[in-house]
Amino acid sequence: MSRAPEDVSKLTESTYKNVMEQFNPGLRNLVNLGKSYEKSVTAMTLAGKVYFDAVSKIGENAIVSPVSRELGVVLMEIAEAHRKVYIELEENFKRFHREIITELEKKTEMDVKYMNATFKRYQSEHKLKQDSLERSQTDLKKLRRKSQGKHSSKYEIKENEYLETVSSRQMDMQKFIADGCKEALLEEKRRFCFLADKHCMFSYQISNFHEKAKEMLAMKLPTWQEKCSDITKVPDTVATMIEELSVTPEQSPLVERCNRNNVESMVPPPAPPLKAQISPLANMFNPEPRSPLTSSSDHNSDQGSLGEVSLSRSTSQSSGLNVGRRPRVRTIFPHTSGNNDTLLSFDDGDIITLLIQEEKDGWLYGELEKTSKRGWFPSSYCRPYTEPVKANSNQSTPVRSLSVASLPEQEEEEPVLIPPPDYSDDPPSSPVVPSMPSPQNTVSLVNGTAKAPFLGGGNPFATVKLRPTVTNDRSAPHI
């Protein structure tokens, strides 16, 4: 599409003005933003280095542990890899500052002067050529006015000369306008091309940086992931140490004898088929009524026999050391077993340790302390035996007497159930339904709260939901 010389000249002037009024101020703003970009990246790299230095220090602490040594090495290698990445990033932004920001800052100051001078030169030359053309056209018009009504042959030669001058100056003017427009457009394109080429180079550097960073991180990433894939794996040295600690030590002959006696006591010989005879003189020594033992065969048997409560709860202990001992009785009449090997013979005043506290048709099963023999004997031939309390002269403060009745009913302390730790990121497969805790899942403390004695808080790495606890507020009214 052809344009008039005036339109082309206007396009040239607008191109120069666009460069001076928009492009150059835009470069100044770009330089300022680039400097802010450098500061933010510098702050980020500094914060990243500090962060991974802390990760490396934690790794150094883990190296001391016998089970986490490999994970400590992994943490230190991760920190070192990221430190190299940040160093490479710093090098790229040093080049960014040197090749882009510094160059743009210099060229912006130079270009402002250059474009102002170029645009003024164009305007002055355009004005000179325009004035020269206008003068030639004015002279031609004057010559034509003079040639009217006179000899036309006399002015014809001069008119031809003026026409040639005007035509030559018009062609020169058009060429100047075309060349000036082309030069202005090329100047504009040259500046945008410089800006785009610099950022293409920076993009190429960033691409190389990411490729190098990916190579540094992906090279050891599978090895790192493998080290922390199985949290239950322990080194061979630690496993050997734990196995040595888990081996049960050899028991002493005394312990073996106690264990053998306990096993034997759990399987006593069968009780005699006939009901035990009640001594006619039994009530003479204990006129007060005695509560009977709980019999597995007959609840109405022998009201004068020993009761489980009277044997287990009337034995007062001077300290808590004898809490686990079996109840004992003292015989008040002699007893002869005869030809029955399952019966126990004893004299008056002997001490018998009860191995089975439940009465079987008036018979009790125990062990005679002086001969260590075991057998069945009539419950009416004995009375509960309380060991006399010996005064301790070395103990300055009085010891509070503990009775069997004041101890909890449970003979064994129930184990504490703690939820297993879960360090994985996978969500639980099924929701955990909270339920009321049973006595088997808690440990009752002095203040009534239910809490594991060695835990000071929750496990922040466990995803298992804990069951709600029930407090035993002693100030609440008993219903």
Side-chain angles (χ1 to χ4, degrees):
M1 180 178 180
S2 60
R3 289 189 178 185
E6 291 79 6
D7 295 338
V8 176
S9 179
K10 290 181 180 179
L11 177 60
T12 302
E13 292 181 357
S14 64
T15 301
Y16 279 112
K17 290 180 179 179
N18 183 33
V19 172
M20 292 185 297
E21 296 177 0
Q22 296 184 11
F23 182 78
N24 288 334
L27 284 184
R28 289 194 184 96
N29 187 34
L30 196 64
V31 169
N32 295 330
L33 292 177
K35 291 180 179 179
S36 300
Y37 184 27
E38 288 178 351
K39 291 180 181 179
S40 62
V41 172
T42 302
M44 183 194 69
T45 55
L46 179 60
K49 287 180 179 179
V50 173
Y51 175 81
F52 283 102
D53 284 343
V55 172
S56 179
K57 291 181 180 178
I58 295 177
E60 292 177 359
N61 294 333
I63 288 179
V64 182
S65 173
V67 72
S68 302
R69 183 179 294 108
E70 294 182 352
L71 295 177
V73 174
V74 168
L75 290 175
M76 294 183 66
E77 290 180 354
I78 291 174
E80 180 63 20
H82 281 275
R83 189 183 66 84
K84 292 180 179 179
V85 169
Y86 283 120
I87 291 176
E88 189 68 23
L89 184 61
E90 284 182 342
E91 293 297 327
N92 280 272
F93 269 84
K94 287 180 180 178
R95 296 180 63 182
F96 170 77
H97 177 81
R98 183 174 62 253
E99 297 179 4
I100 295 181
I101 301 301
T102 304
E103 291 293 327
L104 289 180
E105 194 171 15
K106 290 180 180 179
K107 291 187 178 298
T108 301
E109 298 298 329
M110 295 173 61
D111 193 56
V112 170
K113 298 178 181 179
Y114 173 78
M115 292 303 292
N116 285 329
T118 303
F119 182 58
K120 288 180 180 180
R121 187 181 70 250
Y122 171 80
Q123 285 182 328
S124 61
E125 290 182 2
H126 182 272
K127 189 175 185 308
L128 290 176
K129 292 182 181 297
Q130 184 69 26
D131 292 343
S132 177
L133 179 60
E134 289 178 355
R135 284 196 304 269
S136 297
Q137 291 176 350
T138 301
D139 292 342
L140 179 59
K141 289 179 181 180
K142 288 180 181 181
L143 182 61
R144 286 177 178 178
R145 282 197 301 266
K146 289 181 181 180
S147 64
Q148 293 178 359
K150 296 181 180 180
H151 299 285
S152 57
S153 59
K154 182 179 178 181
Y155 296 97
E156 184 176 358
I157 297 173
K158 291 184 178 181
E159 184 177 356
N160 291 333
E161 292 178 356
Y162 282 3
L163 285 173
E164 291 178 0
T165 303
V166 170
S167 177
S168 174
R169 290 181 177 178
Q170 283 180 346
M171 292 179 64
D172 188 24
M173 183 66 179
Q174 291 178 359
K175 185 177 183 302
F176 172 77
I177 291 175
D179 293 341
C181 182
K182 181 180 179 181
E183 183 65 23
L185 293 176
L186 289 177
E187 288 289 344
E188 182 188 58
K189 184 178 180 180
R190 194 175 291 116
R191 281 151 180 78
F192 284 109
C193 184
F194 168 80
L195 186 61
D197 181 67
K198 288 295 184 182
H199 285 84
C200 285
M201 185 181 299
F202 176 68
S203 300
Y204 181 74
Q205 295 172 3
I206 292 296
S207 177
N208 290 338
F209 160 73
H210 286 293
E211 290 291 336
K212 191 172 182 179
K214 179 182 178 181
E215 181 180 357
M216 286 189 295
L217 294 177
M219 181 171 57
K220 293 186 177 181
L221 188 56
T223 306
W224 298 339
Q225 193 68 32
E226 183 181 359
K227 295 295 184 182
C228 57
S229 60
D230 187 5
I231 61 173
T232 60
K233 182 179 179 181
V234 296
D236 296 337
T237 56
V238 178
T240 304
M241 178 183 67
I242 295 176
E243 290 178 358
E244 292 177 355
L245 293 176
S246 301
V247 175
T248 304
E250 297 182 358
Q251 296 181 349
S252 62
L254 181 60
V255 176
E256 292 180 356
R257 178 184 175 184
C258 294
N259 293 336
R260 185 173 62 254
N261 294 337
N262 292 334
V263 173
E264 293 176 358
S265 64
M266 297 302 295
V267 187
L274 299 178
K275 185 178 295 185
Q277 297 294 331
I278 301 175
S279 173
L281 302 179
N283 294 329
M284 294 177 59
F285 298 94
N286 190 8
E288 297 180 359
R290 289 172 288 110
S291 58
L293 284 170
T294 302
S295 176
S296 60
S297 61
D298 187 4
H299 292 281
N300 297 324
S301 63
D302 194 4
Q303 298 296 327
S305 61
L306 291 176
E308 179 183 1
V309 178
S310 63
L311 290 176
S312 61
R313 297 183 179 271
S314 64
T315 305
S316 175
Q317 305 295 336
S318 61
S319 65
L321 299 177
N322 296 326
V323 171
R325 296 184 60 180
R326 296 180 181 272
R328 296 187 294 174
V329 296
R330 180 189 293 275
T331 60
I332 57 177
F333 300 105
H335 180 259
T336 303
S337 62
N339 296 328
N340 193 343
D341 296 336
T342 61
L343 298 182
L344 184 64
S345 298
F346 50 80
D347 297 328
D348 182 11
D350 290 341
I351 304 300
I352 301 176
T353 301
L354 295 182
L355 301 180
I356 296 179
Q357 301 180 20
E358 295 181 358
E359 188 178 357
K360 306 290 185 179
D361 292 334
W363 298 93
L364 290 175
Y365 187 79
E367 179 182 355
L368 187 61
E369 290 190 355
K370 66 179 182 180
T371 61
S372 298
K373 292 184 179 180
R374 299 182 178 185
W376 295 91
F377 61 93
S379 61
S380 61
Y381 279 56
C382 61
R383 290 292 179 267
Y385 173 70
T386 302
E387 185 175 359
V389 179
K390 296 180 181 180
N392 189 3
S393 59
N394 295 329
Q395 188 174 2
S396 59
T397 58
V399 179
R400 182 180 177 181
S401 176
L402 298 176
S403 62
V404 179
S406 65
L407 296 176
E409 292 294 336
Q410 296 181 351
E411 296 182 357
E412 295 181 358
E413 185 179 1
E414 298 294 339
V416 181
L417 298 182
I418 303 175
D422 185 5
Y423 294 88
S424 63
D425 297 332
D426 298 333
S429 58
S430 61
V432 179
V433 180
S435 61
M436 298 300 292
S438 63
Q440 297 179 354
N441 298 334
T442 58
V443 175
S444 297
L445 301 182
V446 178
N447 57 2
T449 59
K451 184 178 181 182
F454 57 87
L455 294 180
N459 186 355
F461 294 96
T463 58
V464 179
K465 295 182 180 179
L466 300 179
R467 297 181 179 180
T469 59
V470 179
T471 60
N472 183 14
D473 189 1
R474 296 185 178 179
S475 62
H478 294 282
I479 300 177

